[in-house]
Amino acid sequence: MLSKTDFYIDGAWVSPAVPATLDVINPATEEPCAVISLGSAADVDRAVAAAKRAFPAWAETPPAERLALLRRLREIYASRIDDVAAAISAEMGAPIRLATQAQAGAGLAHLDAFLRVLAEFEWERPLRDDAMGEHILLEPIGVCGLITPWNWPMNQVILKIAPALGAGCTVVLKPSEVAPLSSMLVAEMVHEAGFPAGVFNLVNGDGPGVGTALSAHPDVDMMSLTGSTRAGIAVTKTAADTVKRVSLELGGKSPNLVFADSDVAAAVRRGVVQCFNNTGQSCNAPSRMLVERGIYEQAVEIAAATARDTVVGDPKEDGKHIGPVVSEAQFGKIQGLIETGIAEGARLVAGGPGRPEGFNRGYYVRPTVFADVTNEMTIAREEIFGPVLSLIPFESEEEAIAIANDTVYGLSAYVQTGDAERARRVARRLRAGMVHVNGATRASGAPFGGYKQSGNGREGGTWGVEDFLEVKSVAGWIAAE
């Protein structure tokens, strides 16, 4: 079993101020795969002090030099991508192919995207041509506390650290204590790349301990969190006393609108696969499938068959199967919500409670599909975060939009239609930060984020860099000769 009990602070691996260990559980075996330390306010103080000391020099480092260090980090990450994938597979149960291609691969793709953006970024500019002497400077906000989740560890870590460091900020990263091992590899890579001491710091811990201490710290200028809406509310409240910026990427209950003029079989199969991807543990999963009444029973049959064909397997084995969910707590939550769906009258057409056949240990969940769900049911309103899909019929485009928008969330939405005009019309009316039409994927550098209780701010591309910048207006600017 791995022992990873130190934190990375001020350019070195250091022991925690107060010993407190936690086992990292492999969800496929229910056995510990590593032991880490849980930090305290004293560890946060030490990390923030290091970041604060490092900030002035790092902020004044020419952008080209910061970019060169990020390029070096990218090279090291690419050379260790198999290590990253193995860590992710062990800590949160992603099948090794998914862990390599999608999970670890997402980190590399985001690094590439930010390198392109930062190479062309305008750090200062005139307000406009006719506003003589008015100049705009974009400057790093300062010390940033970064809290990342367990479900897509490298996707979120790189979406935060690359733009923050590229912008000239210094950071203290708190990865999820459930899945911290891949983030600790990133700390090793940052060290190897040669970033100055204090620019990047990592303290493991839980939300009430390290998360709260970071959010409340008077020397932290910004908090960026990806996690549950509950966690986002807690961080926002704690950060309010020091009026720091808070950027949030939170939960979702994304609708997938399937119209009769679409390729129904392909659209429904794609929707089920997307919902079950990463064992349903994605904030943007299309977990509510809204289907036009005329094709509804056909869609139910296709969805049920697709779920039955979904293979559940050991994360260590190669293949396109799904793995376990991340923890005993998550397994219990999902089982409870499946039971609630049955109790509230939804029609179970695939899956159901318990483990899949052939599994007597590990946090494996049966790929599950409910039909005849109403938008008032618990399974249609709460984020399940597992391989559970709800099908809801609709009569008209107007009703479909109303059902889709009837949620506290607004992260993603999906539209399946053969009518280009309808696709544009519906996309404009959906209250979500991202809309996918007919299976289209997001382009590199596209903004990621949502409306309502799905958060605020945007990650990725130019928007991701701007999140970590302050805007300074200088009147009477004297141009260099």
Side-chain angles (χ1 to χ4, degrees):
M1 186 169 69
L2 291 172
S3 179
K4 296 285 186 178
T5 54
D6 287 349
F7 304 142
Y8 187 75
I9 298 175
D10 206 15
W13 291 96
V14 299
S15 299
V18 179
T21 58
L22 176 74
D23 287 340
V24 178
I25 304 299
N26 183 324
T29 64
E30 303 184 37
E31 298 292 337
C33 62
V35 61
I36 63 166
S37 295
L38 292 177
S40 63
D43 299 303
V44 171
D45 287 344
R46 185 175 178 183
V48 171
K52 184 179 180 180
R53 285 193 303 270
F55 175 68
W58 182 244
E60 293 177 6
T61 299
E65 293 183 22
R66 300 198 298 259
L67 186 61
L69 283 168
L70 284 171
R71 286 198 178 105
R72 175 61 180 146
L73 177 62
R74 191 262 181 217
E75 293 172 0
I76 297 167
Y77 187 102
S79 72
R80 299 194 64 184
I81 198 165
D82 289 340
D83 295 337
V84 174
I88 292 172
S89 186
E91 67 191 358
M92 59 78 61
I96 192 62
R97 183 184 298 184
L98 179 78
T100 304
Q101 296 178 355
Q103 290 271 7
L108 190 61
H110 289 315
L111 279 168
D112 287 338
F114 280 122
L115 289 173
R116 290 194 301 271
V117 168
L118 290 164
E120 301 172 354
F121 198 85
E122 282 190 281
W123 301 99
E124 57 181 78
R125 63 193 74 140
L127 175 64
R128 58 180 187 268
D129 292 341
D130 64 342
M132 301 300 293
E134 189 81 15
H135 209 65
I136 304 299
L137 306 179
L138 300 178
E139 300 180 342
I141 192 169
V143 176
C144 300
L146 312 178
I147 300 178
T148 56
W150 50 260
N151 62 319
W152 284 91
M154 284 303 95
N155 186 72
Q156 296 306 138
V157 167
I158 300 302
L159 274 174
K160 296 185 191 302
I161 70 166
L165 298 180
C169 298
T170 55
V171 305
V172 179
L173 171 65
K174 188 205 89 65
S176 168
E177 71 278 17
V178 176
L181 304 178
S182 53
S183 294
M184 299 183 82
L185 290 176
V186 170
E188 294 177 8
M189 297 177 203
V190 167
H191 186 84
E192 183 179 348
F195 283 80
V199 167
F200 173 94
N201 306 274
L202 181 149
V203 178
N204 282 318
D206 58 19
V210 172
T212 298
L214 264 179
S215 304
H217 204 291
D219 291 332
V220 172
D221 300 288
M222 173 181 172
M223 288 299 301
S224 177
L225 173 139
T226 299
S228 68
T229 297
R230 176 190 53 78
I233 292 169
V235 165
T236 301
K237 288 180 176 179
T238 306
D241 288 339
T242 48
V243 199
K244 53 173 60 74
R245 182 183 298 173
V246 178
S247 178
L248 303 172
E249 197 278 286
L250 306 175
K253 194 68 182 176
S254 300
N256 184 6
L257 285 63
V258 182
F259 290 95
D261 60 11
S262 65
D263 181 342
V264 177
V268 173
R269 282 194 294 268
R270 180 170 61 239
V272 176
V273 170
Q274 288 175 323
C275 179
F276 293 171
N277 184 45
N278 202 38
T279 319
Q281 299 171 121
S282 299
C283 52
N284 60 342
S287 54
R288 288 185 298 151
M289 184 179 288
L290 283 51
V291 183
E292 193 166 357
R293 178 68 72 179
I295 57 167
Y296 180 70
E297 287 303 330
Q298 177 189 0
V300 170
E301 292 177 7
I302 296 168
T306 306
R308 288 191 291 268
D309 290 341
T310 300
V311 178
V312 181
D314 190 325
K316 295 193 301 293
E317 296 177 0
D318 186 39
K320 294 183 178 181
H321 55 280
I322 65 174
V325 296
V326 73
S327 66
E328 182 179 13
Q330 188 65 21
F331 178 84
K333 174 190 172 184
I334 295 165
Q335 296 300 313
L337 285 166
I338 292 173
E339 295 282 7
T340 297
I342 295 170
E344 291 185 356
R347 176 163 51 117
L348 182 66
V349 296
R355 290 182 173 87
E357 185 177 350
F359 290 91
N360 59 11
R361 65 180 307 177
Y363 306 124
Y364 294 94
V365 174
R366 298 173 68 191
T368 297
V369 176
F370 283 103
D372 303 347
V373 176
T374 67
N375 216 39
E376 292 72 38
M377 290 181 180
T378 304
I379 57 173
R381 304 204 73 79
E382 290 192 17
E383 188 176 36
I384 298 174
F385 236 55
V388 181
L389 176 66
S390 297
L391 272 72
I392 303 173
F394 66 83
E395 300 290 347
S396 66
E397 180 181 308
E398 196 69 24
E399 184 185 18
I401 294 168
I403 295 171
N405 288 338
D406 181 19
T407 172
V408 298
Y409 298 110
L411 187 57
S412 287
Y414 301 75
V415 181
Q416 320 298 328
T417 178
D419 184 333
E421 183 178 346
R422 167 180 273 165
R424 292 189 294 269
R425 183 172 64 240
V426 173
R428 287 190 175 98
R429 295 187 61 193
L430 292 171
R431 297 282 295 163
M434 300 171 287
V435 179
H436 302 254
V437 177
N438 294 333
T441 57
R442 299 171 65 252
S444 175
F448 190 102
Y451 293 9
K452 300 187 282 185
Q453 291 187 28
S454 287
N456 55 58
R458 293 294 182 271
E459 294 187 313
T462 302
W463 295 267
V465 176
E466 289 174 346
D467 250 12
F468 291 95
L469 296 172
E470 289 281 21
V471 179
K472 179 184 287 183
S473 174
V474 182
W477 180 264
I478 301 172
E481 295 181 0

